[in-house]
């Protein structure tokens, strides 16, 4: 069977099966969460994540500047550490570079990496720089840490927990829509395009959430609200009821204005749009008061059943549902 | 300036300049050695290395089996941990896979990764699996550890130290030569091709070398003896005199027989052939007696001067000399 028939999530499930279980007493999580988690001694857990961005798949050099690309490669990894409630420490960059590239271009790419790293107080250490025959590829491996007892996993959600996000939803997907239609430079799309090209990992919010002790599970939104909430529900053996009015309230006026002009549905973008890189978490109702979070709904005991509720009716949510168990 | 004009080593130097210095008291080495080195507490140092292999640059799917490719991607990283005197712990695999690939092919790739990892007692933990439009790319990030005080760096060589390798030289380059000329299947080339396609990291030797306390500097041979010895000499501010008869004695009969048939110079392959992934080290003359090592010559005080001595004459060695300071 070709990978194109199998699909990416099914492939990951095949690879993950029988792999990544605790290989020793020190490995607490191998696969299946945003980071691997290893006991580091001294009351600390070490976090490791790695993400690869491939030209033509994850970015288009026609619409992405080198510094934005470098910053985004860092941001998606930083967001994985944030999703565990952790603090990033060191990044290791692997680059495969077509020889037709200009040195100045590569220096701007690194300027973006360095700026994002500096903002997160991360040291950019050794890596690998190599030639590529065709496509540009960036891999970032990021090491972080979190206090034992403060780490937040995908499998901690319990019935009755409330569901929150740490920022507005759907803007990154709308930004991609604007770029693909060639009107990314218009003032009305500028902020949306920035969410797509230059996402900001929610590291400070993650630290506050982890420290307050009121959260039960966390993930970052890379695949979209429905898909990533699905990952939490699958890992935790629970379901969820999202309130449509609350999801709509977690969108920005800029997104809604862009959608009105383009005949798009902001609710659909909020539910299914990927790459927002905000934190999605569950926990005590008190979280909303303690931190600036958007509340979206409630965790239920109905295993893996994700509902969207409006006007007394509940409709099953799709989007990511097929991928359950895969991540 | 295009990267093709600048060259890979000069690019790495540009990237490394002003980067990777200690970002905090815990980072002992950022760039410039086989691994980054970070204080981990409890008398241990954490090692991190990452290497990316790109289709068409580092491997050819026509001549490499998927399991050999997976094993080699692990081996080159394991060899970097060995070069520090360290013990590997966890590997994180990023794969960019063209969708035309068969699932069975990917499973064989992972079988090679798993076999090499199991042999080295390494846990294969989370990673990233993504689509690629064209080329297959594998990145491995490897975490290891070494006892504080046992880590071996490139900059520890001192005048009067002897130079050793932990295995025979030039075979991987001869194997590549055989593959490129289409006679890799001939019995006379089989062992050489295996050295090229399925290198074995010298982890046990590395542990013995680190534990015996007699070595002063170490690196693994990926670029070739002259180039990698050049890296040690540049980092240590020393020079070296290699004895030609000793270098020749560190070649196998299989290599010499292959060279006789093909009108190749085994000495040249031993000096310049890359990818042998044996350990190159300097230290006390007693090392040769304590461990099964090939002695090659002596470290001198003549900074960055690398000489090959035979019959009372000394000729300067090239090969990697231009790269000094780059790594």
């Amino acid at each position: 069977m070709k990978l194109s028939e199998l699909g990416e999530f099914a492939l990951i499930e095949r690879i993950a099966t029988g792999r990544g279980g605790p290989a020793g007493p020190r490995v607490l999580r191998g696969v299946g969460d945003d980071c691997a988690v290893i006991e580091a001694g001294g009351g600390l857990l070490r976090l490791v994540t790695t993400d690869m961005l491939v030209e033509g798949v994850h970015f288009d050099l026609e619409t992405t500047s080198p510094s934005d690309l470098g910053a985004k490669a860092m941001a998606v990894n930083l967001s994985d550490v944030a999703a565990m409630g952790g603090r990033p420490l060191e990044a290791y960059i692997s680059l495969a570079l077509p020889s037709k590239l200009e040195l100045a271009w590569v220096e701007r790419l690194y300027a973006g990496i360095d700026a994002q790293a500096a903002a997160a107080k991360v040291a950019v250490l050794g890596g690998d720089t190599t030639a590529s025959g065709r496509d540009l590829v960036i891999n970032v491996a990021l090491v972080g840490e979190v206090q034992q007892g403060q780490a937040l996993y995908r499998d901690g959600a319990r019935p009755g927990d409330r569901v929150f996000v740490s920022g507005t939803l759907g803007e990154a997907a709308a930004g991609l829509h604007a770029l693909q239609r060639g009107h990314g430079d218009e003032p009305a799309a500028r902020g949306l395009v920035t969410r797509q090209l230059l996402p900001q990992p929610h590291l400070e919010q993650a630290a506050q959430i982890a420290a307050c002790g009121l959260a039960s599970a966390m993930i970052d939104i890379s695949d979209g609200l429905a898909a990533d909430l699905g990952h939490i529900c699958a890992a935790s053996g629970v379901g969820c009821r999202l309130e449509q009015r609350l999801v709509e309230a977690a969108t920005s006026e800029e997104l809604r204005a862009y959608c009105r002009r383009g005949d798009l549905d902001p609710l659909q973008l909020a539910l299914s749009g990927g790459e927002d890189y905000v934190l999605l978490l569950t926990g005590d109702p008190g979280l909303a008061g303690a931190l600036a979070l958007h509340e979206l709904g409630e965790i239920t005991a109905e295993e893996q059943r994700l509902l969207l509720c409006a006007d007394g009716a509940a409709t099953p949510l799709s989007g990511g549902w097929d991928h359950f168990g895969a991540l």
Side-chain angles (χ1 to χ4, degrees), chain A:
Chain A
M1 186 192 296
K2 294 212 183 303
L3 299 186
S4 51
E5 302 163 66
L6 183 67
E8 190 167 338
F9 282 87
L11 171 64
I12 292 171
E13 185 174 13
R14 288 292 284 259
I15 291 175
T17 299
R19 176 181 307 286
R26 303 205 307 181
V27 179
L28 301 183
R29 298 286 164 121
V31 298
D33 220 304
D34 293 280
C35 295
V37 183
I38 294 107
E39 280 189 3
L44 290 172
L45 304 177
R46 179 159 49 81
L47 307 171
V48 185
T49 183
T50 183
D51 265 299
M52 184 179 268
L53 301 184
V54 181
E55 180 182 351
V57 177
H58 300 96
F59 59 90
D60 179 346
L61 293 181
E62 298 297 312
T63 56
T64 306
S65 75
S67 65
D68 282 358
L69 177 60
K72 184 166 181 173
M74 282 295 298
V76 299
N77 283 280
L78 292 167
S79 186
D80 280 329
V81 168
M84 307 298 297
R87 184 168 78 92
L89 297 171
E90 316 132 28
Y92 301 86
I93 316 292
S94 299
L95 285 175
L97 300 169
S99 58
K100 64 172 193 278
L101 280 181
E102 294 285 337
L103 173 62
W105 195 97
V106 178
E107 290 180 331
R108 289 199 297 275
L109 177 78
Y110 254 98
I113 291 171
D114 288 341
Q116 188 72 268
K121 297 189 178 64
V122 164
V124 179
L125 304 184
D128 190 22
T129 305
T130 185
S132 168
R134 298 185 286 197
D135 293 326
L136 191 151
V137 181
I138 307 181
N139 190 83
V140 176
L142 185 68
V143 178
E145 67 182 15
V146 63
Q147 298 265 344
Q148 206 148 15
Q150 288 195 7
L152 288 164
Y153 300 97
R154 296 179 179 184
D155 63 5
R158 295 293 170 261
D161 286 350
R162 304 295 295 174
V163 178
F164 306 90
V165 282
S166 64
T168 51
L169 296 168
E171 285 162 73
L176 181 62
H177 178 274
L179 285 171
Q180 287 173 337
R181 274 149 194 82
H183 50 256
D185 285 337
E186 292 177 16
R190 197 82 48 85
L192 305 174
V193 167
T194 300
R195 284 289 300 271
Q196 166 61 223
L197 295 181
L198 199 57
Q200 296 301 319
H202 283 197
L203 286 163
E204 285 184 27
Q205 297 91 322
Q208 292 167 353
I209 291 164
C212 80
L214 297 175
S216 56
M218 191 150 71
I219 193 171
D220 67 327
I221 295 192
S222 54
D223 296 333
L225 171 62
D228 289 312
L229 186 55
H231 294 145
I232 284 183
C233 289
S236 301
V238 297
C240 180
R241 293 170 66 93
L242 293 178
E243 299 292 334
Q244 182 176 324
R245 63 179 175 81
L246 294 177
V247 175
E248 286 169 341
T251 59
S252 68
E253 173 51 30
E254 188 174 8
L255 176 75
R256 293 191 296 269
Y258 180 84
C259 287
R260 279 194 297 273
R261 281 183 46 204
D263 206 21
L264 293 167
D265 180 3
L267 178 66
Q268 202 50 49
L269 288 177
L271 289 169
S272 305
E275 301 202 276
D276 279 321
Y277 296 108
V278 298
L279 299 167
L280 171 65
L281 60 148
T282 62
D284 190 278
L287 270 165
L291 300 161
L293 300 172
H294 301 269
E295 191 169 330
L296 302 182
E298 190 174 55
I299 294 294
T300 67
E302 298 175 275
E303 198 168 339
Q304 298 195 24
R305 191 163 160 82
L306 190 53
L307 299 171
L308 183 67
C309 304
D311 305 325
T315 51
L317 263 184
S318 64
W321 211 240
D322 292 337
H323 311 148
F324 272 14
L327 281 180

